[in-house]
Amino acid sequence: MAAAFAALDEPTQEAVVAAVIPLATATPQRGGRLAQLPRDVREAAMRTALRVPSDQDLDHLTALDAQALGRSKQARHFLTALQDLRPAAARDETGPVDLGTTGDRAWRLEPDPAYLGGYRVLADVGAIAPVRPRKSDTVRWTAEHRRRTLGRGPARAGRDTAARAVIAAEDAWAPLPDLDDDAYRRIPAGLRSNLHGAASRIDLRHGRLAQIQPGAYRQQLHAALGQARRTATGHIRGQHLAVLLDAAREDLGAPASTTADRLYEVIQDIRAILLTRADTA
C-alpha cells in the first residue's frame, strides 16, 4: 500500500474510497466520461477502492483534472477527495487574484471549487483551469466564457492569458434589452412561429439538454424551451426568451445535430432583431 494513502486518517480514507468507486466501476453502458479513461487509470481506481493502491496508482489518479473528468458531481467529489494525496506544492490553495481594470470594470479571479487550482472570473463571467497533459510538466490553461467555450482543449500558456480571453469574450458580448422591455413583445410573428417549430423538435429527455450543468441552468433552459413549445404564436415572457437568446450552441444539442442547428439559427435571428432595435431606440 502506498505510504501516502496509509498516512490518511480513517474518515479521509473512506472519503477517497467513496470518490474513486464510480471510476473503478464505470462501464461503457453506465459511466459516461469516466468509462473512457485509460485502463491503467481505472485499474488504479479499483485498487484504491480496495484500499491497496501503490504509489504509481496514486500518481495516475492525482494526475487527473477537471479537463479529463468533466464537470459532473462525481468528478467534483473525486477531485476534492484526492487533494490530500497530492504533493504539498500542488495542494496549496489558490487565493483571489486582482487583474486590474478593463473596460471600466475591475476584474478578479476567485478559486473555483469545481476545478482544483482553477478560478472563476468575477464568479459568473467565466472560468479558467490548469491542465497538465499526461507525461508532461507543461501546464496549459482552458478558458470558458459563460456563453461559450473559448476554443477546444488546453490552448493557453498561462493563467493570465486565459483570464484575458474570458474578459475579451465578455467585453464583446452584446447584452439583451431589460426583461420588461416591450421589444420582447414586438418580435415578428414569423420568427415567433419559427421558434415554436424549432423548439418543438428538441428532445429534453436525452442527449446534451438532459445532462447540461449546472442543474439550475438546465432547469431554466428546459422551462424556456417548454414555454416556446406550448404555443404556435411564440408569445413567451422576456425572462424565458432571454435564457434561450443567451444559450450557447453547445447547450442545445450535439455538434452534428441539425435540429439543434436550426433552433440556434432561429434564436440568433431573434437576437439580431432585438439588438438592432435596441441600438436604434
Side-chain angles (χ1 to χ4, degrees):
M1 182 192 302
F5 185 83
L8 300 176
D9 57 36
E10 185 62 25
T12 305
Q13 283 191 8
E14 290 180 359
V16 170
V17 168
V20 301
I21 285 176
L23 174 55
T25 59
T27 64
Q29 296 76 26
R30 181 180 59 84
R33 193 165 185 172
L34 298 183
Q36 301 172 14
L37 292 174
R39 181 176 178 179
D40 56 351
V41 172
R42 298 186 49 223
E43 289 177 347
M46 178 60 75
R47 285 188 286 271
T48 303
L50 295 173
R51 297 175 180 260
V52 289
S54 66
D55 288 329
Q56 186 178 25
D57 290 334
L58 297 187
D59 287 343
H60 282 319
L61 297 178
T62 56
L64 296 173
D65 52 33
Q67 180 72 12
L69 295 168
R71 282 179 169 266
S72 68
K73 184 177 180 180
Q74 289 176 338
R76 290 197 299 273
H77 286 168
F78 182 94
L79 292 172
T80 299
L82 291 184
Q83 288 187 37
D84 290 321
L85 293 172
R86 291 175 179 266
R91 292 201 305 267
D92 292 341
E93 290 192 7
T94 54
V97 177
D98 290 321
L99 297 175
T101 301
T102 301
D104 298 325
R105 193 172 183 183
W107 295 93
R108 180 180 176 88
L109 300 178
E110 298 283 352
D112 187 345
Y115 285 89
L116 182 64
Y119 295 91
R120 290 182 179 177
V121 184
L122 280 182
D124 62 343
V125 169
I128 62 175
V131 177
R132 188 186 302 276
R134 292 173 63 84
K135 300 181 180 179
S136 171
D137 292 329
T138 302
V139 176
R140 309 285 284 180
W141 287 76
T142 59
E144 294 182 2
H145 184 247
R146 58 179 171 172
R147 307 300 172 192
R148 61 190 178 91
T149 299
L150 304 174
R152 295 184 178 276
R156 287 159 180 83
R159 181 197 67 192
D160 290 356
T161 303
R164 295 296 173 192
V166 176
I167 293 171
E170 178 68 9
D171 188 53
W173 176 69
L176 293 164
D178 292 338
L179 295 183
D180 58 355
D181 195 297
D182 287 341
Y184 290 103
R185 293 191 288 273
R186 297 198 304 269
I187 296 172
L191 286 181
R192 295 200 307 266
S193 177
N194 290 345
L195 177 61
H196 166 74
S200 296
R201 288 189 282 274
I202 291 291
D203 187 354
L204 300 179
R205 300 167 299 175
H206 303 96
R208 173 67 174 161
L209 274 165
Q211 303 171 7
I212 190 169
Q213 296 293 334
Y217 173 59
R218 181 175 65 249
Q219 292 172 1
Q220 292 175 354
L221 193 56
H222 282 203
L225 285 167
Q227 286 287 325
R229 293 159 57 147
R230 284 192 182 97
T231 170
T233 64
H235 284 294
I236 65 176
R237 290 184 292 177
Q239 68 184 73
H240 288 122
L241 189 54
V243 172
L244 290 180
L245 297 179
D246 273 344
R249 165 60 184 84
E250 55 265 30
D251 293 346
L252 303 177
S257 170
T258 57
T259 301
D261 284 343
R262 175 55 180 160
L263 175 60
Y264 186 69
E265 178 184 336
V266 172
I267 286 172
Q268 294 310 300
D269 288 342
I270 295 175
R271 184 180 177 86
I273 288 287
L274 286 174
L275 293 181
T276 299
R277 290 182 175 178
D279 289 341
T280 57

